[in-house]
């Protein structure tokens, strides 16, 4: 990736930071940098530049090892009640075989995690989590409420197949049945006697799927895809900063965390208040909605040709801090830096100009809506 | 450290992985590798070899940036009850001004975290945590139990001063008062108008303290210590694998995690069952104690002159897996690899020989007690 947020400092390994079944393969495929996500190694850059991998993802197909999206299973008599208690999304009509992007909040409506929930049956849910220990929150709550529910981290390792040509590649392995899989639906598919749960989903707005496999049972399929993938220009990859920012996919820990509520970060679509379901933080969210939010996550465009963001950067208007930039990258087509910033009230209006200092140089920027395209 | 668990792959930075007030300084001091701990950068190696830094720590003094030991505050009417509910250590006679190493367990006695708890007053506790999201467990539990308690992560950044000469260095700054501070006690000390909570503690068995400072208020003291530290041969450092293993200091995530209970990992000393206090998992621990543990963390000595451990390695007896090695390092004085391993019943007897394959070479080892010295 030759990304400019490299530290030039190596990562050291220990058992505490989980390797995945795919780690040894990926390290032979031009891997240049790692991050750590849910105590698991996550590739963050390869030999090709960030711009090269951006166009590759747009035009061809990539495989990403996202085993760091740990899968927590909630099962048992009270699992549905507990799952609903933790999210502001109405799951009362949820269907087996579907995925639900669901903000997990606490009694103050603070966002604990923003996972995708898979409904396996009426008493079994898989929660594919973002970078915080959802298991501990759920377990604490279940113990406190005396719920009859089993909460365990499964030995599931997920890889994603993302990009324009992902359907063609998948069809070659599984035939029509997989291309007929609807967006945010999942089904089981077999490959050489191993069963994989495959969902039409993934952390890019390009078409794609995610393959959930127990232990290292996904290796055969992973290897086979690379065997046959040449004709589609398949390459190894990883979640892509340019693509996820332009598409408006948010990142827990970068764009928001448990200091924010769903209304502040543009997740209104997943906040269901007009119903009689019971979830934590519901009254708080009703109050916030009535009073209006005090800060808001906005898109930004900045007149700069590079940025090295590894902590929040102040955003000023008339010399006064009014917000902070939380994620950013140079966009090769927009020819400017794009990013997500948290702005205080009343400064979160589209079109508002601001100042920001990047690498000690004063820059100007303007607020815009998310997503960028 | 030139450690052999280097991956040669860089770490990439993002806001999601917290920098500390000391990060920019440490990166100019010969830092060669990072790990991530509680979503915070933690130095794991410097230009000097692991052996050199081991003898340096034994004979001189080091400063470690351990801001990754995040501090969670529990305050309010029910904070003492909640704190006790989560730990098997009897805190009923705990005193303000003291620290308590306390396994945090759940209703099945699984270890959620093994923090040090500081009692600030009868209704305020600081929990200096190991590498798991204790805040989420405590918050889930507090919500479920409807407790009146505020649980927040404080903006505290801690550095440790560890090593034989740490007292002499500290005396030069704070005089006698700091050398009189007893083991696992804390007090407030002032330096240039900034107040720091300083405790006689730290993740080495060498004498030392930890300095808890809000925001970046610790920078002045940090810099001053390096100004005056030359005469004690002060160097930058980080938690030391050889020293912590020989001393029997355990690492959550490496040696154990929430698949183990305190009796299995040698923490009997911190399990108080003969009393009428109320904590989660108490009955479970009584049962386990009566039935006997089914696995046990043991020390090992292996005939090998190096090891590159980044995931658990199988331990065999007569061709059958009986356990796994979880942490290990070559010890320059014992001239063998030492480490911590989890052994199944009935194989956890001191003196038992075993086989292990390291880098595809068959090695023999023997079980021993923890600590090694």
């Amino acid at each position: 990736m030759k990304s400019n947020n490299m530290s030039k400092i190596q990562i050291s390994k220990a058992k505490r930071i989980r390797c995945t079944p795919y780690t040894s393969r990926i390290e032979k495929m031009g891997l240049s940098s790692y991050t750590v996500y849910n105590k698991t190694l996550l590739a963050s850059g390869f030999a090709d530049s960030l711009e090269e991998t951006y166009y590759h993802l747009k035009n061809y197909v990539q495989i990403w090892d996202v085993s760091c999206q740990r899968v927590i299973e909630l099962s048992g008599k009270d699992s549905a009640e507990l799952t609903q208690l933790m999210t502001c999304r109405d799951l009362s009509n949820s269907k087996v075989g579907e995925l639900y992007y669901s903000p997990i909040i606490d009694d103050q409506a603070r966002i604990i995690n923003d996972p995708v929930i898979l409904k396996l049956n009426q008493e079994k849910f898989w929660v594919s989590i973002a970078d915080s220990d959802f298991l501990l929150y759920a377990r604490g709550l279940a113990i406190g409420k005396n719920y009859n529910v089993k909460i365990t981290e499964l030995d599931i390792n997920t890889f994603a197949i993302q990009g324009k040509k992902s359907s063609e590649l998948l069809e070659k392995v599984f035939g029509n049945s997989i291309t007929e899989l609807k967006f945010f639906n999942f089904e089981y598919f077999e490959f050489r006697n191993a069963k994989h749960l495959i969902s039409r989903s993934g952390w890019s707005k390009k078409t794609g799927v995610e393959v959930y496999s127990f232990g290292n049972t996904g290796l055969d399929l992973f290897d086979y895809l690379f065997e046959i993938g040449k004709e589609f220009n398949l390459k190894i990859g990883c979640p892509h900063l340019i693509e996820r920012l332009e598409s408006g996919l948010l990142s827990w820990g970068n764009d928001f965390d448990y200091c924010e509520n769903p209304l502040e970060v543009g997740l209104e679509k997943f906040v269901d208040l007009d119903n009689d379901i019971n979830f934590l933080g519901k009254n708080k969210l009703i109050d916030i909605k009535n009073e209006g939010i005090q800060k808001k996550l906005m898109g930004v465009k900045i007149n700069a040709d590079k940025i090295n963001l590894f902590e929040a950067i102040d955003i000023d208007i008339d010399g006064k801090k009014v917000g902070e930039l939380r994620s950013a990258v140079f966009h090769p087509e927009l020819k400017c830096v794009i990013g997500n910033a948290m702005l205080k009230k009343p400064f979160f209006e589209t079109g508002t100009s601001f100042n920001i200092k990047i690498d000690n140089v004063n820059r100007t920027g303007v607020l815009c809506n998310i997503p960028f395209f």
Side-chain angles (χ1 to χ4, degrees), chain A:
Chain A
M1 230 187 244
K2 286 173 195 151
S3 150
N4 49 10
N5 59 350
M6 291 295 169
S7 62
K8 309 286 180 204
I9 292 165
Q10 290 176 9
I11 195 165
S12 62
K13 291 183 179 175
K15 173 175 166 288
R16 186 175 53 77
I17 311 288
R18 191 186 288 110
C19 291
T20 84
Y22 311 107
T23 297
S24 59
R25 282 164 171 73
I26 289 170
E27 291 189 354
K28 289 175 193 142
M29 291 171 154
L31 180 68
S32 61
S33 69
Y34 269 131
T35 185
V36 175
Y37 195 97
N38 280 325
K39 299 186 192 72
T40 307
L41 292 172
L42 171 62
S44 56
F46 289 91
D48 288 346
S49 74
L50 197 57
E51 195 174 323
E52 284 164 342
T53 53
Y54 170 70
Y55 286 112
H56 179 266
L57 178 61
K58 263 184 127 160
N59 296 308
Y60 304 105
V61 53
Q62 298 181 357
I63 288 187
W64 305 349
D65 172 13
V66 290
S67 303
C68 64
Q69 296 173 188
R70 303 307 300 162
V71 177
I72 314 301
E73 179 177 285
L74 282 67
S75 62
K77 200 171 66 64
D78 296 328
S79 57
E81 187 175 331
L82 174 61
T83 302
Q84 181 63 79
L85 187 71
M86 294 188 287
T87 181
C88 51
R89 182 165 183 181
D90 182 354
L91 297 177
S92 57
N93 294 313
S94 59
K95 292 180 187 69
V96 173
E98 295 199 5
L99 284 76
Y100 299 89
Y101 173 74
S102 307
I104 300 295
I105 61 173
D106 69 11
D107 58 342
Q108 299 302 306
R110 296 172 288 209
I111 309 174
I112 299 299
N113 201 292
D114 65 327
V116 169
I117 299 177
L118 292 75
K119 187 166 185 173
L120 278 288
N121 64 44
Q122 299 303 329
E123 292 191 357
K124 190 188 283 189
F125 298 83
W126 284 5
V127 185
S128 176
I129 63 171
D131 185 32
S132 77
D133 225 331
F134 167 80
L135 177 145
L136 292 183
Y137 178 62
R139 196 175 278 175
L141 202 51
I143 293 169
K145 288 272 182 187
N146 210 13
Y147 276 145
N148 184 353
V149 55
K150 201 176 155 196
I151 302 164
T152 48
E153 181 171 330
L154 301 179
D155 179 21
I156 282 184
N157 297 291
T158 304
F159 66 86
I161 306 167
Q162 302 286 307
K164 196 180 175 187
K165 304 255 181 195
S166 59
S167 290
E168 290 174 61
L169 172 64
L170 286 159
E171 201 172 358
K172 196 143 181 176
V173 185
F174 296 106
N176 271 347
S177 58
I178 193 137
T179 46
E180 281 163 8
L181 188 64
K182 283 188 201 138
F183 186 62
F184 265 46
N185 276 233
F186 68 83
E187 259 179 52
Y188 282 94
F189 292 85
E190 217 172 293
F191 179 76
R192 292 186 188 160
N193 298 321
K195 244 171 100 183
H196 310 281
L197 185 154
I198 301 185
S199 62
R200 185 155 297 283
S201 58
W203 210 54
S204 88
K205 279 284 158 92
K206 306 295 164 268
T207 176
V209 304
E210 292 177 293
V211 180
Y212 297 70
S213 312
F214 277 94
N216 60 14
T217 59
L219 279 174
D220 262 358
L221 178 57
F222 182 93
D223 290 343
Y224 181 71
L225 287 166
F226 278 102
E227 270 172 42
I228 64 161
K230 271 208 184 97
E231 67 171 293
F232 309 106
N233 194 10
L234 171 67
K235 287 193 179 180
I236 192 74
C238 56
H240 202 284
L241 188 55
I242 301 174
E243 202 282 335
R244 80 99 175 158
L245 280 175
E246 72 174 26
S247 302
L249 294 167
L250 303 183
S251 168
W252 194 97
N254 286 316
D255 301 318
F256 61 88
D257 61 22
Y258 29 60
C259 295
E260 274 88 32
N261 66 59
L263 299 175
E264 290 166 341
V265 302
L267 296 178
E268 298 85 350
K269 219 176 118 182
F270 306 102
V271 176
D272 294 318
L273 299 173
D274 303 323
N275 52 49
D276 56 4
I277 58 167
N278 179 31
F279 62 83
L280 294 171
K282 190 175 185 179
N283 289 333
K284 182 80 183 176
L285 281 171
I286 291 170
D287 289 349
I288 294 167
K289 205 175 173 184
N290 289 337
E291 289 162 17
I293 52 174
Q294 301 301 307
K295 56 181 175 175
K296 188 178 177 184
L297 194 72
M298 298 288 296
V300 300
K301 293 179 189 173
I302 301 169
N303 296 315
D305 57 4
K306 62 175 181 179
I307 188 162
N308 179 14
L309 188 146
F310 51 85
E311 51 192 347
I313 304 175
D314 287 355
I315 284 180
D316 296 340
I317 293 179
D318 297 334
K320 195 179 124 195
K321 182 181 172 179
V322 298
E324 59 178 35
L325 183 63
R326 294 182 170 186
S327 299
V329 72
F330 178 76
H331 195 288
E333 304 216 319
L334 296 174
K335 306 289 182 203
C336 68
V337 164
I338 65 165
N340 295 334
M342 184 58 73
L343 275 296
K344 284 188 222 173
K345 192 179 174 183
F347 300 99
F348 47 63
E349 296 299 322
T350 304
T352 303
S353 297
F354 62 83
N355 300 305
I356 187 166
K357 202 178 255 187
I358 299 173
D359 290 333
N360 276 316
V361 178
N362 290 314
R363 303 285 184 175
T364 56
V366 65
L367 301 182
C368 61
N369 290 321
I370 299 172
F372 289 79
F373 290 111

